[in-house]
Amino acid sequence: MTGILGAALQVVLVAAGAPLLVGLMRQVRARAEGRAGAGVLQPWRDLRKLLRKEPITPHGTGPLFRMAPLVLAGSTLVAAAVIPLVTTRSPLDGAADLFAVTALLALGTVALALAALDTGTAFGGMGASREMVVLALVEPTILLSTFALSVRAGSTNLGAIVTATLDDPQRAVFPASLLALVALVVVVIAEAGRMPVDNPSTHLELTMVHEAMVLEYAGPDLALVEWASAMRLTVLLGLLANLFVPWGITGDSLALLPAGIAAVAAKVAAAGAALAAAEVFMAKLRMFRVPELLAGSFVLALFAVASSFFLVAP
């Protein structure tokens, strides 16, 4: 019962809280730049405005274009139900495997890239091409980093990795964990389309990656894409926080579910605020420099795997 309720709460929390996280990050960035900001609720207002508009489909596009936002949102919601955010006792715990979750997150990205190619526009093709380059460099690093954490847990199940860190807190400061943390921070930034890999607030040809793929969307379809992108960022930050700072997550206790919700909300909000504050001082990398950054994170992940086998935990 705790697992079913916890998984349902995870989905509701991610679905409802994702736009608030984006609003919080915009507000933090506005304050850091000396502006008042539009408020934390502004993304929800934007989504409501888009939902009231008429859906427009570009001439010549097929069902793939309309299905991609649904696939992106659906795969992200399934990932939110599977990964350990509020509880480690999800009924879908058997599917919370490292490889399954990585494939789920990649599914939405590939669907959106195919939809961008379906439009037949120059911007769509450019964005899809850039996104696939980033995806091809990010996925191996995610797999290697989480595999480094799974070695001492003896399982690639994300719930088992989180539980192992709870049982032995020293794992959090083990060299493999610290190297994997740095590598995962870089790939989460790239996967979520944040600075310095991508700039979500610009529509300049030289800098666009994610935004170039969604330029042809409008109305409810664009609202779904924006909502799914916010949920994706929330899921990635929540997973990152619970892999390395799992304290507060609930196990079998039904009474501790509210505390688990408060804990993951606080951790995701803190991570989002820190990322937004750091973005103020970052410049967008030129596209040909992005593979160098992601290659560096891959090397760190490789070192993390090696140290997990050869170094002894303190």
Side-chain angles (χ1 to χ4, degrees), residues 116-187:
L117 291 174
D118 193 32
T119 62
T121 62
F123 278 120
M126 180 192 69
S129 171
R130 291 177 174 180
E131 187 72 18
M132 288 301 99
V133 170
V134 172
L135 182 67
L137 296 172
V138 159
E139 296 301 322
T141 306
I142 293 178
L143 291 173
L144 274 182
S145 301
T146 318
F147 179 69
L149 301 175
S150 72
V151 169
R152 294 192 175 277
S155 171
T156 58
N157 183 279
L158 294 172
I161 297 172
V162 171
T163 304
T165 307
L166 280 172
D167 295 338
D168 183 10
Q170 288 186 338
R171 292 173 187 273
V173 293
F174 187 59
S177 300
L178 298 178
L179 288 168
L181 170 62
V182 178
L184 277 176
V185 167
V186 174
V187 295

Short mmCIF file of all heavy atoms in Angstrom, two decimals, residues 116-187:
data_model
loop_
_atom_site.label_atom_id
_atom_site.label_comp_id
_atom_site.label_asym_id
_atom_site.label_seq_id
_atom_site.Cartn_x
_atom_site.Cartn_y
_atom_site.Cartn_z
N ALA A 116 10.83 16.80 -35.07
CA ALA A 116 11.48 17.98 -35.64
C ALA A 116 11.90 17.70 -37.08
O ALA A 116 11.77 18.58 -37.96
CB ALA A 116 12.71 18.35 -34.80
N LEU A 117 12.39 16.49 -37.37
CA LEU A 117 12.75 16.13 -38.74
C LEU A 117 11.51 16.05 -39.62
O LEU A 117 11.56 16.36 -40.82
CB LEU A 117 13.49 14.79 -38.75
CG LEU A 117 14.89 14.76 -38.13
CD1 LEU A 117 15.42 13.34 -38.08
CD2 LEU A 117 15.84 15.66 -38.91
N ASP A 118 10.38 15.65 -39.01
CA ASP A 118 9.13 15.52 -39.76
C ASP A 118 8.63 16.86 -40.30
O ASP A 118 7.91 16.90 -41.30
CB ASP A 118 8.06 14.90 -38.85
CG ASP A 118 6.85 14.44 -39.63
OD1 ASP A 118 7.02 14.02 -40.80
OD2 ASP A 118 5.73 14.50 -39.09
N THR A 119 9.00 17.96 -39.65
CA THR A 119 8.57 19.27 -40.12
C THR A 119 9.25 19.66 -41.42
O THR A 119 8.73 20.47 -42.19
CB THR A 119 8.86 20.35 -39.07
OG1 THR A 119 10.27 20.43 -38.86
CG2 THR A 119 8.18 20.04 -37.75
N GLY A 120 10.44 19.10 -41.67
CA GLY A 120 11.16 19.40 -42.91
C GLY A 120 11.75 20.79 -42.95
O GLY A 120 12.17 21.25 -44.02
N THR A 121 11.85 21.45 -41.80
CA THR A 121 12.43 22.80 -41.77
C THR A 121 13.92 22.74 -41.44
O THR A 121 14.40 21.75 -40.85
CB THR A 121 11.72 23.67 -40.72
OG1 THR A 121 11.93 23.09 -39.43
CG2 THR A 121 10.23 23.75 -41.00
N ALA A 122 14.63 23.80 -41.78
CA ALA A 122 16.07 23.84 -41.51
C ALA A 122 16.34 23.87 -40.02
O ALA A 122 17.24 23.18 -39.53
CB ALA A 122 16.67 25.08 -42.18
N PHE A 123 15.55 24.65 -39.27
CA PHE A 123 15.76 24.73 -37.83
C PHE A 123 15.46 23.40 -37.16
O PHE A 123 16.15 22.98 -36.23
CB PHE A 123 14.87 25.82 -37.23
CG PHE A 123 15.46 27.19 -37.37
CD1 PHE A 123 14.78 28.17 -38.08
CD2 PHE A 123 16.68 27.50 -36.81
CE1 PHE A 123 15.32 29.43 -38.22
CE2 PHE A 123 17.23 28.77 -36.93
CZ PHE A 123 16.54 29.74 -37.65
N GLY A 124 14.40 22.72 -37.62
CA GLY A 124 14.05 21.42 -37.03
C GLY A 124 15.16 20.41 -37.23
O GLY A 124 15.54 19.69 -36.30
N GLY A 125 15.69 20.33 -38.44
CA GLY A 125 16.78 19.40 -38.71
C GLY A 125 18.03 19.74 -37.94
O GLY A 125 18.72 18.85 -37.42
N MET A 126 18.33 21.06 -37.84
CA MET A 126 19.52 21.47 -37.09
C MET A 126 19.39 21.11 -35.61
O MET A 126 20.33 20.57 -35.00
CB MET A 126 19.71 22.98 -37.23
CG MET A 126 20.91 23.54 -36.49
SD MET A 126 20.87 25.33 -36.42
CE MET A 126 19.48 25.62 -35.31
N GLY A 127 18.21 21.40 -35.02
CA GLY A 127 18.00 21.08 -33.61
C GLY A 127 18.06 19.59 -33.35
O GLY A 127 18.66 19.15 -32.36
N ALA A 128 17.43 18.80 -34.24
CA ALA A 128 17.44 17.34 -34.07
C ALA A 128 18.86 16.79 -34.16
O ALA A 128 19.26 15.92 -33.37
CB ALA A 128 16.55 16.68 -35.11
N SER A 129 19.63 17.31 -35.12
CA SER A 129 21.01 16.86 -35.27
C SER A 129 21.83 17.17 -34.02
O SER A 129 22.56 16.30 -33.51
CB SER A 129 21.63 17.55 -36.49
OG SER A 129 23.02 17.30 -36.55
N ARG A 130 21.70 18.39 -33.50
CA ARG A 130 22.46 18.77 -32.30
C ARG A 130 22.01 17.95 -31.09
O ARG A 130 22.83 17.54 -30.26
CB ARG A 130 22.28 20.27 -32.04
CG ARG A 130 22.97 21.14 -33.08
CD ARG A 130 22.70 22.61 -32.82
NE ARG A 130 23.47 23.46 -33.73
CZ ARG A 130 23.42 24.79 -33.74
NH1 ARG A 130 22.61 25.42 -32.89
NH2 ARG A 130 24.14 25.49 -34.58
N GLU A 131 20.69 17.75 -30.97
CA GLU A 131 20.18 17.00 -29.82
C GLU A 131 20.68 15.56 -29.83
O GLU A 131 21.00 14.99 -28.78
CB GLU A 131 18.64 17.01 -29.84
CG GLU A 131 17.99 16.40 -28.61
CD GLU A 131 18.13 17.28 -27.37
OE1 GLU A 131 18.42 18.48 -27.52
OE2 GLU A 131 17.94 16.75 -26.26
N MET A 132 20.76 14.95 -31.01
CA MET A 132 21.24 13.57 -31.10
C MET A 132 22.73 13.47 -30.76
O MET A 132 23.18 12.49 -30.17
CB MET A 132 20.98 13.01 -32.50
CG MET A 132 19.53 12.71 -32.79
SD MET A 132 18.79 11.51 -31.64
CE MET A 132 17.92 12.59 -30.51
N VAL A 133 23.49 14.51 -31.13
CA VAL A 133 24.91 14.53 -30.74
C VAL A 133 25.05 14.56 -29.22
O VAL A 133 25.82 13.79 -28.62
CB VAL A 133 25.62 15.75 -31.37
CG1 VAL A 133 27.02 15.92 -30.78
CG2 VAL A 133 25.71 15.59 -32.88
N VAL A 134 24.27 15.45 -28.59
CA VAL A 134 24.31 15.55 -27.12
C VAL A 134 23.85 14.24 -26.49
O VAL A 134 24.47 13.74 -25.54
CB VAL A 134 23.44 16.74 -26.65
CG1 VAL A 134 23.32 16.74 -25.13
CG2 VAL A 134 24.03 18.05 -27.13
N LEU A 135 22.76 13.67 -27.01
CA LEU A 135 22.21 12.42 -26.44
C LEU A 135 23.23 11.28 -26.54
O LEU A 135 23.41 10.51 -25.59
CB LEU A 135 20.93 12.04 -27.17
CG LEU A 135 20.22 10.78 -26.66
CD1 LEU A 135 19.67 11.00 -25.26
CD2 LEU A 135 19.09 10.38 -27.60
N ALA A 136 23.89 11.18 -27.69
CA ALA A 136 24.87 10.10 -27.88
C ALA A 136 26.04 10.22 -26.92
O ALA A 136 26.65 9.21 -26.55
CB ALA A 136 25.37 10.11 -29.33
N LEU A 137 26.37 11.45 -26.51
CA LEU A 137 27.48 11.63 -25.58
C LEU A 137 27.05 11.53 -24.12
O LEU A 137 27.84 11.20 -23.25
CB LEU A 137 28.13 13.00 -25.83
CG LEU A 137 28.79 13.17 -27.20
CD1 LEU A 137 29.21 14.61 -27.41
CD2 LEU A 137 29.99 12.25 -27.32
N VAL A 138 25.76 11.84 -23.87
CA VAL A 138 25.27 11.88 -22.49
C VAL A 138 24.92 10.48 -21.97
O VAL A 138 25.25 10.13 -20.83
CB VAL A 138 24.03 12.80 -22.41
CG1 VAL A 138 23.18 12.49 -21.19
CG2 VAL A 138 24.47 14.26 -22.39
N GLU A 139 24.25 9.67 -22.80
CA GLU A 139 23.75 8.38 -22.32
C GLU A 139 24.85 7.47 -21.78
O GLU A 139 24.69 6.87 -20.71
CB GLU A 139 22.98 7.67 -23.44
CG GLU A 139 21.72 8.41 -23.88
CD GLU A 139 20.74 8.60 -22.74
OE1 GLU A 139 20.61 7.69 -21.92
OE2 GLU A 139 20.13 9.68 -22.67
N PRO A 140 26.01 7.31 -22.48
CA PRO A 140 27.05 6.45 -21.91
C PRO A 140 27.55 6.94 -20.55
O PRO A 140 27.86 6.13 -19.67
CB PRO A 140 28.17 6.50 -22.96
CG PRO A 140 27.50 6.91 -24.22
CD PRO A 140 26.40 7.81 -23.81
N THR A 141 27.61 8.26 -20.37
CA THR A 141 28.08 8.81 -19.09
C THR A 141 27.08 8.52 -17.97
O THR A 141 27.47 8.18 -16.85
CB THR A 141 28.31 10.33 -19.21
OG1 THR A 141 29.19 10.57 -20.31
CG2 THR A 141 28.92 10.88 -17.95
N ILE A 142 25.78 8.64 -18.27
CA ILE A 142 24.76 8.32 -17.26
C ILE A 142 24.88 6.85 -16.86
O ILE A 142 24.86 6.50 -15.67
CB ILE A 142 23.35 8.61 -17.81
CG1 ILE A 142 23.16 10.12 -18.02
CG2 ILE A 142 22.28 8.09 -16.85
CD1 ILE A 142 21.82 10.49 -18.60
N LEU A 143 25.02 5.98 -17.85
CA LEU A 143 25.12 4.54 -17.56
C LEU A 143 26.37 4.23 -16.74
O LEU A 143 26.31 3.50 -15.74
CB LEU A 143 25.14 3.75 -18.87
CG LEU A 143 23.83 3.75 -19.67
CD1 LEU A 143 24.04 3.08 -21.01
CD2 LEU A 143 22.74 3.02 -18.88
N LEU A 144 27.51 4.81 -17.13
CA LEU A 144 28.74 4.52 -16.41
C LEU A 144 28.72 5.07 -14.99
O LEU A 144 29.15 4.40 -14.04
CB LEU A 144 29.94 5.12 -17.17
CG LEU A 144 30.56 4.28 -18.28
CD1 LEU A 144 31.74 5.01 -18.89
CD2 LEU A 144 31.01 2.93 -17.74
N SER A 145 28.21 6.30 -14.82
CA SER A 145 28.18 6.92 -13.49
C SER A 145 27.32 6.12 -12.54
O SER A 145 27.70 5.84 -11.40
CB SER A 145 27.65 8.36 -13.60
OG SER A 145 28.45 9.12 -14.44
N THR A 146 26.12 5.75 -13.00
CA THR A 146 25.23 4.99 -12.12
C THR A 146 25.75 3.58 -11.90
O THR A 146 25.56 3.00 -10.82
CB THR A 146 23.82 4.95 -12.71
OG1 THR A 146 23.48 6.24 -13.23
CG2 THR A 146 22.79 4.57 -11.67
N PHE A 147 26.44 3.03 -12.91
CA PHE A 147 27.04 1.71 -12.74
C PHE A 147 28.12 1.76 -11.66
O PHE A 147 28.26 0.81 -10.86
CB PHE A 147 27.64 1.22 -14.06
CG PHE A 147 28.29 -0.12 -13.97
CD1 PHE A 147 27.53 -1.26 -13.76
CD2 PHE A 147 29.66 -0.25 -14.07
CE1 PHE A 147 28.14 -2.51 -13.65
CE2 PHE A 147 30.27 -1.48 -13.97
CZ PHE A 147 29.51 -2.62 -13.76
N ALA A 148 28.88 2.86 -11.61
CA ALA A 148 29.90 3.00 -10.57
C ALA A 148 29.27 2.98 -9.18
O ALA A 148 29.82 2.42 -8.23
CB ALA A 148 30.67 4.31 -10.77
N LEU A 149 28.07 3.59 -9.06
CA LEU A 149 27.38 3.58 -7.77
C LEU A 149 26.79 2.21 -7.47
O LEU A 149 26.61 1.84 -6.30
CB LEU A 149 26.25 4.63 -7.79
CG LEU A 149 26.67 6.08 -8.04
CD1 LEU A 149 25.44 6.97 -8.15
CD2 LEU A 149 27.57 6.57 -6.93
N SER A 150 26.48 1.46 -8.53
CA SER A 150 25.80 0.17 -8.32
C SER A 150 26.77 -0.95 -7.95
O SER A 150 26.34 -1.99 -7.46
CB SER A 150 25.05 -0.22 -9.60
OG SER A 150 25.96 -0.61 -10.61
N VAL A 151 28.08 -0.74 -8.18
CA VAL A 151 29.05 -1.83 -7.95
C VAL A 151 29.01 -2.28 -6.50
O VAL A 151 28.90 -3.46 -6.18
CB VAL A 151 30.45 -1.36 -8.36
CG1 VAL A 151 31.50 -2.37 -7.89
CG2 VAL A 151 30.53 -1.20 -9.87
N ARG A 152 29.10 -1.32 -5.57
CA ARG A 152 29.13 -1.68 -4.16
C ARG A 152 27.75 -2.03 -3.63
O ARG A 152 27.64 -2.71 -2.61
CB ARG A 152 29.75 -0.54 -3.35
CG ARG A 152 31.21 -0.36 -3.69
CD ARG A 152 31.94 0.54 -2.75
NE ARG A 152 33.36 0.56 -3.09
CZ ARG A 152 34.23 -0.36 -2.70
NH1 ARG A 152 33.82 -1.35 -1.93
NH2 ARG A 152 35.50 -0.30 -3.06
N ALA A 153 26.69 -1.57 -4.30
CA ALA A 153 25.34 -1.96 -3.90
C ALA A 153 25.01 -3.37 -4.38
O ALA A 153 24.08 -4.00 -3.89
CB ALA A 153 24.32 -0.97 -4.43
N GLY A 154 25.76 -3.84 -5.39
CA GLY A 154 25.52 -5.19 -5.92
C GLY A 154 24.29 -5.29 -6.78
O GLY A 154 23.79 -6.39 -7.03
N SER A 155 23.77 -4.16 -7.26
CA SER A 155 22.57 -4.18 -8.09
C SER A 155 22.50 -2.91 -8.91
O SER A 155 22.97 -1.85 -8.47
CB SER A 155 21.32 -4.29 -7.20
OG SER A 155 20.14 -4.10 -7.97
N THR A 156 21.93 -3.02 -10.12
CA THR A 156 21.72 -1.82 -10.93
C THR A 156 20.34 -1.21 -10.68
O THR A 156 19.96 -0.25 -11.35
CB THR A 156 21.84 -2.16 -12.44
OG1 THR A 156 20.89 -3.18 -12.76
CG2 THR A 156 23.24 -2.62 -12.78
N ASN A 157 19.62 -1.76 -9.69
CA ASN A 157 18.31 -1.20 -9.34
C ASN A 157 18.51 0.11 -8.58
O ASN A 157 19.26 0.15 -7.59
CB ASN A 157 17.54 -2.21 -8.48
CG ASN A 157 16.16 -1.72 -8.13
OD1 ASN A 157 15.99 -0.94 -7.21
ND2 ASN A 157 15.18 -2.17 -8.89
N LEU A 158 17.84 1.17 -9.02
CA LEU A 158 18.06 2.49 -8.42
C LEU A 158 17.62 2.52 -6.96
O LEU A 158 18.25 3.16 -6.12
CB LEU A 158 17.32 3.55 -9.23
CG LEU A 158 17.84 3.75 -10.66
CD1 LEU A 158 16.93 4.68 -11.44
CD2 LEU A 158 19.26 4.30 -10.63
N GLY A 159 16.52 1.82 -6.63
CA GLY A 159 16.07 1.75 -5.24
C GLY A 159 17.09 1.07 -4.35
O GLY A 159 17.32 1.49 -3.21
N ALA A 160 17.72 0.02 -4.87
CA ALA A 160 18.75 -0.69 -4.10
C ALA A 160 19.97 0.19 -3.88
O ALA A 160 20.58 0.16 -2.79
CB ALA A 160 19.15 -1.97 -4.83
N ILE A 161 20.32 1.00 -4.88
CA ILE A 161 21.47 1.91 -4.73
C ILE A 161 21.19 2.96 -3.65
O ILE A 161 22.03 3.24 -2.79
CB ILE A 161 21.80 2.59 -6.07
CG1 ILE A 161 22.22 1.54 -7.11
CG2 ILE A 161 22.89 3.63 -5.90
CD1 ILE A 161 22.38 2.09 -8.51
N VAL A 162 19.98 3.52 -3.68
CA VAL A 162 19.60 4.53 -2.68
C VAL A 162 19.57 3.91 -1.29
O VAL A 162 20.08 4.49 -0.31
CB VAL A 162 18.23 5.14 -3.04
CG1 VAL A 162 17.73 6.02 -1.91
CG2 VAL A 162 18.35 5.95 -4.32
N THR A 163 18.99 2.70 -1.17
CA THR A 163 18.92 2.03 0.13
C THR A 163 20.32 1.70 0.66
O THR A 163 20.58 1.83 1.86
CB THR A 163 18.10 0.73 0.00
OG1 THR A 163 16.81 1.05 -0.52
CG2 THR A 163 17.94 0.05 1.34
N ALA A 164 21.22 1.30 -0.24
CA ALA A 164 22.59 0.99 0.18
C ALA A 164 23.29 2.21 0.74
O ALA A 164 24.03 2.13 1.73
CB ALA A 164 23.37 0.41 -1.00
N THR A 165 23.06 3.37 0.13
CA THR A 165 23.67 4.61 0.65
C THR A 165 23.06 4.99 1.99
O THR A 165 23.75 5.50 2.88
CB THR A 165 23.48 5.76 -0.36
OG1 THR A 165 23.96 5.36 -1.64
CG2 THR A 165 24.22 7.01 0.07
N LEU A 166 21.75 4.75 2.16
CA LEU A 166 21.10 5.02 3.45
C LEU A 166 21.68 4.14 4.54
O LEU A 166 21.90 4.59 5.68
CB LEU A 166 19.59 4.79 3.34
CG LEU A 166 18.76 5.91 2.69
CD1 LEU A 166 17.33 5.44 2.48
CD2 LEU A 166 18.79 7.17 3.55
N ASP A 167 21.93 2.86 4.21
CA ASP A 167 22.46 1.93 5.20
C ASP A 167 23.92 2.21 5.52
O ASP A 167 24.38 1.93 6.63
CB ASP A 167 22.32 0.49 4.67
CG ASP A 167 20.86 0.08 4.53
OD1 ASP A 167 20.01 0.71 5.20
OD2 ASP A 167 20.57 -0.85 3.77
N ASP A 168 24.66 2.73 4.55
CA ASP A 168 26.09 3.01 4.75
C ASP A 168 26.40 4.41 4.22
O ASP A 168 26.82 4.58 3.07
CB ASP A 168 26.94 1.95 4.03
CG ASP A 168 28.42 2.16 4.26
OD1 ASP A 168 28.78 2.98 5.13
OD2 ASP A 168 29.24 1.50 3.58
N PRO A 169 26.19 5.44 5.04
CA PRO A 169 26.37 6.83 4.57
C PRO A 169 27.76 7.14 4.05
O PRO A 169 27.95 8.10 3.32
CB PRO A 169 26.04 7.66 5.82
CG PRO A 169 25.19 6.77 6.66
CD PRO A 169 25.70 5.38 6.42
N GLN A 170 28.77 6.33 4.45
CA GLN A 170 30.13 6.60 4.00
C GLN A 170 30.27 6.46 2.49
O GLN A 170 31.20 7.00 1.89
CB GLN A 170 31.10 5.64 4.68
CG GLN A 170 31.32 5.95 6.16
CD GLN A 170 32.39 5.08 6.77
OE1 GLN A 170 32.69 4.01 6.26
NE2 GLN A 170 32.97 5.53 7.86
N ARG A 171 29.30 5.75 1.86
CA ARG A 171 29.35 5.62 0.40
C ARG A 171 29.27 6.97 -0.29
O ARG A 171 29.79 7.15 -1.39
CB ARG A 171 28.18 4.76 -0.09
CG ARG A 171 28.24 3.31 0.32
CD ARG A 171 26.94 2.62 -0.09
NE ARG A 171 26.87 1.26 0.41
CZ ARG A 171 27.38 0.22 -0.22
NH1 ARG A 171 27.96 0.39 -1.37
NH2 ARG A 171 27.29 -0.98 0.32
N ALA A 172 28.60 7.94 0.36
CA ALA A 172 28.40 9.25 -0.27
C ALA A 172 29.70 10.01 -0.47
O ALA A 172 29.78 10.90 -1.33
CB ALA A 172 27.42 10.07 0.57
N VAL A 173 30.73 9.70 0.37
CA VAL A 173 32.01 10.42 0.25
C VAL A 173 33.09 9.51 -0.32
O VAL A 173 34.27 9.88 -0.31
CB VAL A 173 32.44 10.98 1.62
CG1 VAL A 173 31.49 12.07 2.07
CG2 VAL A 173 32.53 9.88 2.67
N PHE A 174 32.72 8.34 -0.78
CA PHE A 174 33.67 7.45 -1.42
C PHE A 174 34.13 8.08 -2.75
O PHE A 174 33.33 8.73 -3.43
CB PHE A 174 33.00 6.10 -1.68
CG PHE A 174 33.93 5.04 -2.20
CD1 PHE A 174 35.05 4.65 -1.47
CD2 PHE A 174 33.69 4.42 -3.41
CE1 PHE A 174 35.91 3.68 -1.95
CE2 PHE A 174 34.54 3.44 -3.90
CZ PHE A 174 35.66 3.08 -3.16
N PRO A 175 35.42 7.95 -3.13
CA PRO A 175 35.89 8.60 -4.37
C PRO A 175 35.05 8.28 -5.59
O PRO A 175 34.81 9.17 -6.43
CB PRO A 175 37.31 8.04 -4.50
CG PRO A 175 37.75 7.76 -3.11
CD PRO A 175 36.52 7.32 -2.38
N ALA A 176 34.58 7.04 -5.71
CA ALA A 176 33.74 6.70 -6.86
C ALA A 176 32.47 7.52 -6.88
O ALA A 176 32.01 7.96 -7.94
CB ALA A 176 33.41 5.21 -6.83
N SER A 177 31.89 7.75 -5.69
CA SER A 177 30.65 8.53 -5.61
C SER A 177 30.90 9.99 -5.99
O SER A 177 30.09 10.60 -6.70
CB SER A 177 30.07 8.44 -4.20
OG SER A 177 29.79 7.10 -3.87
N LEU A 178 32.01 10.54 -5.52
CA LEU A 178 32.30 11.95 -5.81
C LEU A 178 32.58 12.16 -7.30
O LEU A 178 32.11 13.14 -7.90
CB LEU A 178 33.49 12.42 -4.97
CG LEU A 178 33.28 12.36 -3.44
CD1 LEU A 178 34.53 12.79 -2.71
CD2 LEU A 178 32.09 13.25 -3.04
N LEU A 179 33.33 11.23 -7.91
CA LEU A 179 33.59 11.33 -9.35
C LEU A 179 32.29 11.17 -10.15
O LEU A 179 32.04 11.91 -11.11
CB LEU A 179 34.60 10.26 -9.77
CG LEU A 179 36.05 10.48 -9.32
CD1 LEU A 179 36.87 9.23 -9.53
CD2 LEU A 179 36.67 11.65 -10.06
N ALA A 180 31.46 10.21 -9.73
CA ALA A 180 30.19 10.00 -10.42
C ALA A 180 29.27 11.20 -10.25
O ALA A 180 28.52 11.56 -11.17
CB ALA A 180 29.50 8.74 -9.88
N LEU A 181 29.34 11.86 -9.08
CA LEU A 181 28.50 13.04 -8.84
C LEU A 181 28.85 14.15 -9.83
O LEU A 181 27.95 14.74 -10.45
CB LEU A 181 28.72 13.53 -7.40
CG LEU A 181 28.10 14.89 -7.06
CD1 LEU A 181 26.58 14.83 -7.21
CD2 LEU A 181 28.47 15.31 -5.65
N VAL A 182 30.14 14.43 -9.99
CA VAL A 182 30.55 15.50 -10.92
C VAL A 182 30.13 15.16 -12.35
O VAL A 182 29.60 16.00 -13.09
CB VAL A 182 32.07 15.72 -10.84
CG1 VAL A 182 32.51 16.78 -11.84
CG2 VAL A 182 32.48 16.12 -9.43
N ALA A 183 30.35 13.89 -12.75
CA ALA A 183 29.98 13.47 -14.10
C ALA A 183 28.47 13.59 -14.32
O ALA A 183 28.02 14.06 -15.37
CB ALA A 183 30.44 12.04 -14.34
N LEU A 184 27.69 13.18 -13.31
CA LEU A 184 26.23 13.23 -13.47
C LEU A 184 25.70 14.66 -13.48
O LEU A 184 24.73 14.96 -14.18
CB LEU A 184 25.56 12.43 -12.34
CG LEU A 184 25.47 10.92 -12.56
CD1 LEU A 184 24.87 10.24 -11.34
CD2 LEU A 184 24.61 10.61 -13.79
N VAL A 185 26.33 15.55 -12.72
CA VAL A 185 25.89 16.96 -12.74
C VAL A 185 26.04 17.53 -14.15
O VAL A 185 25.14 18.22 -14.67
CB VAL A 185 26.71 17.78 -11.72
CG1 VAL A 185 26.51 19.28 -11.96
CG2 VAL A 185 26.30 17.43 -10.31
N VAL A 186 27.16 17.22 -14.80
CA VAL A 186 27.39 17.73 -16.16
C VAL A 186 26.36 17.18 -17.14
O VAL A 186 25.76 17.91 -17.94
CB VAL A 186 28.82 17.38 -16.64
CG1 VAL A 186 29.01 17.77 -18.10
CG2 VAL A 186 29.86 18.07 -15.77
N VAL A 187 26.10 15.85 -17.06
CA VAL A 187 25.18 15.27 -18.04
C VAL A 187 23.72 15.65 -17.75
O VAL A 187 22.91 15.73 -18.66
CB VAL A 187 25.33 13.73 -18.11
CG1 VAL A 187 26.69 13.35 -18.63
CG2 VAL A 187 25.05 13.07 -16.78
#
